[in-house]
Amino acid sequence: MKYPVSLLLCGFLAVASVRAETLGVVEVDEPAVKLNLDTSSIAGDLRLAQVTAEEEAAEKVQPDIHYVPTPQELVNAMLQMAAVTKDDLLYDLGSGDGRLVITAAQKYGARGIGIDIDPQRIAEAKENAAEAKVEDKVEFRRADLFTSDFSDANVITLYLLDTLNRKLRPQLFQQVQPGTRIVSHAFRMGDWDPDAERTLKIKGSEYNAYYWVIPANMSGRWKVSGGEGGAGIPETVTVEQTFQKITVRSGAGEDGEVIGDGTVNGKSFTLTMKKEGKGKGGVFKGKIDDNSIEASGKGGAWKAEREAGTEKPLDPATDSD
């Protein structure tokens, strides 16, 4: 006999012992009863509850800015800068009428989620998605950006303000993975310099777009192997990192001599080392894998392991604006 999910709790209270034989099926000893649970339905109910909670919280928050649409020409340019593909999940923070998310789905086949605090904008975006026939690829949530989770994003687009971008910045570094691409219309990220920028002239006006890639955290003290040869890298180095920019010092402390500098792009890095002793120095390119590094260049190849607990947050500051 099958029972609806709503009777499950009562079933548990009515029996002495329970054992699970298969996923989604619960069997009790006395009386012998099997309850078939639709786990996909349960997951859907939980997701609905989460969205409802986000919407209820959003009702208590007033918009920080008034809605101004991004010109479609700039929308196209922003998606090009981010190199959006069908494999991406794009979040548009402050999604307005949904044009960025919808265009990403139409032109590139990407999935998209728009987040906005204004219920009128959410309703408009849903209507636009239906008209564009991309409802199966996009979703629009009424929620507060600063309490939202977008950790599964590959691409993030936004059109906010300088102050809001700076407020959002620590959240980006805490949530999203290295390699996530970010494009902002008009506004920068405080002292986090963009990796690229573009200016478009549209109907006599200039519009700017700024592009960043979330860098892996390479900061900390590293034990180097293989670097004492042609690479000329000491056995111990300390890496200081400010956003995507790195400085390498010899030894285990921050007062060591600067022997190199470079940049981090996602999990990749480029490092220019000074010529030290018999080492050739030069440019090295490598990959960061959590607490391991592998790099190579004309001076040779080397590896390094980070000492536990020596890395520092890339953006520890809490915005006070």
Side-chain angles (χ1 to χ4, degrees):
M1 182 179 297
K2 295 182 179 179
Y3 290 84
V5 175
S6 59
L7 296 181
L8 179 59
L9 181 59
C10 295
F12 282 166
L13 295 175
V15 298
S17 62
V18 179
R19 70 175 182 274
E21 290 191 339
T22 60
L23 181 63
V25 178
V26 177
E27 182 177 308
V28 297
D29 290 334
E30 291 294 339
V33 176
K34 287 188 177 180
L35 303 179
N36 292 327
L37 307 183
D38 184 349
T39 54
S40 63
S41 175
I42 294 173
D45 291 343
L46 291 174
R47 175 66 193 132
L48 179 60
Q50 178 184 346
V51 172
T52 302
E54 289 176 350
E55 290 179 346
E56 289 177 353
E59 290 178 358
K60 303 175 183 178
V61 180
Q62 295 299 314
D64 292 297
I65 54 176
H66 295 292
Y67 171 61
V68 178
T70 298
Q72 186 61 45
E73 296 93 328
L74 187 59
V75 167
N76 297 336
M78 291 172 68
L79 296 176
Q80 289 171 0
M81 290 179 76
V84 174
T85 74
K86 63 180 179 59
D87 298 320
D88 285 323
L89 174 58
L90 180 148
Y91 275 71
D92 188 23
L93 308 184
S95 52
D97 64 4
R99 63 182 62 189
L100 259 155
V101 172
I102 292 169
T103 302
Q106 284 182 313
K107 291 191 68 173
Y108 302 103
R111 294 175 298 127
I113 296 174
I115 300 178
D116 205 292
I117 201 72
D118 188 339
Q120 182 180 346
R121 299 279 79 82
I122 293 294
E124 182 181 3
K126 289 180 177 179
E127 290 178 3
N128 291 339
E131 184 176 343
K133 302 186 186 311
V134 292
E135 304 104 310
D136 60 327
K137 289 186 175 295
V138 304
E139 176 186 345
F140 294 97
R141 302 175 185 170
R142 186 188 179 199
D144 181 357
L145 298 181
F146 301 104
T147 59
S148 294
D149 180 5
F150 30 83
S151 56
D152 54 346
N154 305 109
V155 178
I156 294 175
T157 56
L158 54 160
Y159 181 22
L160 302 173
L161 293 172
D162 281 323
T163 53
L164 297 180
N165 280 6
R166 291 200 302 274
K167 182 179 178 181
L168 187 66
R169 196 177 71 190
Q171 191 175 344
L172 293 171
F173 277 97
Q174 290 165 9
Q175 286 194 12
V176 301
Q177 296 300 309
T180 301
R181 294 100 72 197
I182 300 170
V183 186
S184 172
H185 170 192
F187 300 104
R188 298 166 69 102
M189 290 273 183
D191 54 352
W192 181 17
D193 292 333
D195 293 302
E197 55 187 272
R198 185 173 175 183
T199 301
L200 271 70
K201 281 193 174 182
I202 303 171
K203 296 180 180 179
S205 298
E206 286 192 351
Y207 294 85
N208 296 315
Y210 301 99
Y211 171 79
W212 298 263
V213 178
I214 292 288
N217 192 332
M218 195 172 164
S219 68
R221 190 161 57 247
W222 296 82
K223 294 295 184 182
V224 179
S225 59
E228 64 277 3
I233 300 174
E235 291 184 358
T236 301
V237 297
T238 298
V239 178
E240 300 170 351
Q241 184 171 355
T242 303
F243 304 115
Q244 73 271 52
K245 298 177 181 179
I246 53 175
T247 300
V248 181
R249 296 181 180 273
S250 61
E254 296 181 354
D255 56 351
E257 179 187 358
V258 174
I259 59 174
D261 55 37
T263 57
V264 181
N265 184 291
K267 292 186 176 182
S268 301
F269 68 89
T270 301
L271 181 61
T272 301
M273 300 294 292
K274 292 181 179 179
K275 184 176 180 180
E276 293 287 324
K278 296 181 180 180
K280 297 179 181 178
V283 177
F284 296 88
K285 294 182 180 295
K287 296 285 186 182
I288 308 163
D289 184 8
D290 292 328
N291 294 311
S292 299
I293 284 175
E294 291 190 6
S296 61
K298 289 185 177 180
W302 51 276
K303 299 179 180 180
E305 295 291 329
R306 178 162 44 198
E307 293 185 18
T310 61
E311 68 269 26
K312 296 182 179 180
L314 296 185
D315 190 10
T318 300
D319 192 271
S320 58
D321 291 328

